[in-house]
Amino acid sequence: MEPWATADQVWAGGLIFARIGAILMLLPGFGESYVPPRIRLSLALVVSLALWPVVAGTLPPLPASLGAMVGWVLREVIVGLMIGALLRSFMTAMATAGEVVSLQTTLGFSQTANPLQAQPGTTLSAFLTLLGVTLVFATDTHHLFLAGLAGSYEMVAPARPLMTGDFAALAIRTLGDAFLLGVQLAGPVLVFALVFNLASGLVGRVMPQFQVFFAAAPLSVILGLSVFALSLGVVGTVFIDRYRRLAEVFVAGTGGAGG
């Protein structure tokens, strides 16, 4: 190996690959199950080589024992998994919005395969999740992901202690914000469903002989989906704006993008 790279260089490249590979395994779009593993591994290797001159100064020297080497590699893998999980967890906002809209439009029974969650979900939830990934690439937000790979070495340097408490607090806040955003994105349909159900109940009380359910069920689907379609532009704009703010935290590193 010496004619190609020294032991210190191989150690530095492997340590970078451990974190970058773990992050790319969970990033939206890059780490999906339908992306071939060879493509993901090749991308992680190329990015690791590109980051090597930038972050090599922050890496620890080659340990003298095998146990220390394994410990450093596991630490970098854990850091990468935590960063990737944070960026992926915010995508649940679109899935939450789709589930809420499906429940309010009586379409919760229409299940389909969600390729980003590896489990069945409602059709609207799968649609909004795919829309979120499409917006990430259409607005070049994935460039922030790649820039954040280098920023992560400033925010979580290998030589510093692992900030498990801060990561746990950030993960809880991110999941809470994602759920709140999902409900807010479904707000127009929630308001429509509330008004429509109140009106249907009032008609049922005023005209007991009238079969309200047979008239209200198709109207609920048609009007609910119409409101959903009209609000789709705002839903995408608000989501990608909030998602870019989260990605900018890792791009800024220890800078001023908000901690």
Side-chain angles (χ1 to χ4, degrees):
M1 190 177 295
E2 290 295 334
W4 303 97
T6 64
D8 290 334
Q9 291 173 333
V10 173
W11 162 250
L15 205 60
I16 296 173
F17 180 80
R19 178 184 293 200
I20 301 304
I23 294 177
L24 291 179
M25 187 174 66
L26 293 177
L27 275 184
F30 296 102
E32 308 305 336
S33 58
Y34 50 77
V35 178
R38 292 183 180 180
I39 301 298
R40 285 181 281 176
L41 288 174
S42 301
L43 179 61
L45 180 60
V46 170
V47 174
S48 300
L49 293 175
L51 289 180
W52 186 6
V54 179
V55 303
T58 64
L59 301 177
L62 178 63
S65 63
L66 179 61
M69 293 177 60
V70 174
W72 277 110
V73 171
L74 289 178
R75 182 189 187 279
E76 290 301 291
V77 170
I78 291 173
V79 171
L81 291 176
M82 289 191 297
I83 294 175
L86 284 176
L87 293 173
R88 173 169 285 272
S89 63
F90 200 78
M91 293 294 297
T92 58
M94 297 297 270
T96 301
E99 294 289 344
V100 173
V101 172
S102 297
L103 289 174
Q104 299 303 318
T105 55
T106 68
L107 293 177
F109 61 88
S110 58
Q111 300 285 311
T112 187
N114 193 332
L116 273 70
Q117 293 184 334
Q119 62 182 0
T122 61
T123 303
L124 292 180
S125 177
F127 168 74
L128 284 180
T129 307
L130 290 174
L131 175 64
V133 175
T134 303
L135 289 174
V136 166
F137 287 93
T139 58
D140 292 335
T141 304
H142 62 290
H143 293 172
L144 294 177
F145 294 163
L146 299 178
L149 298 178
S152 68
Y153 281 90
E154 298 181 10
M155 186 173 61
V156 190
R160 297 178 185 175
L162 189 59
M163 302 178 295
T164 54
D166 293 340
F167 265 111
L170 182 58
I172 294 173
R173 188 169 73 245
T174 301
L175 284 174
D177 292 344
F179 180 79
L180 177 61
L181 179 62
V183 176
Q184 291 174 343
L185 294 178
V189 180
L190 281 173
V191 174
F192 158 77
L194 178 62
V195 174
F196 185 82
N197 290 330
L198 287 176
S200 300
L202 182 61
V203 171
R205 294 292 293 179
V206 174
M207 303 173 60
Q209 294 80 13
F210 181 66
Q211 299 296 327
V212 179
F213 176 78
F214 293 100
L219 286 177
S220 175
V221 176
I222 295 173
L223 296 180
L225 290 179
S226 299
V227 173
F228 170 71
L230 292 175
S231 63
L232 199 57
V234 178
V235 168
T237 302
V238 173
F239 168 76
I240 201 63
D241 180 66
R242 294 284 298 274
Y243 200 46
R244 289 180 68 90
R245 293 182 194 176
L246 177 65
E248 286 170 357
V249 173
F250 298 97
V251 174
T254 55

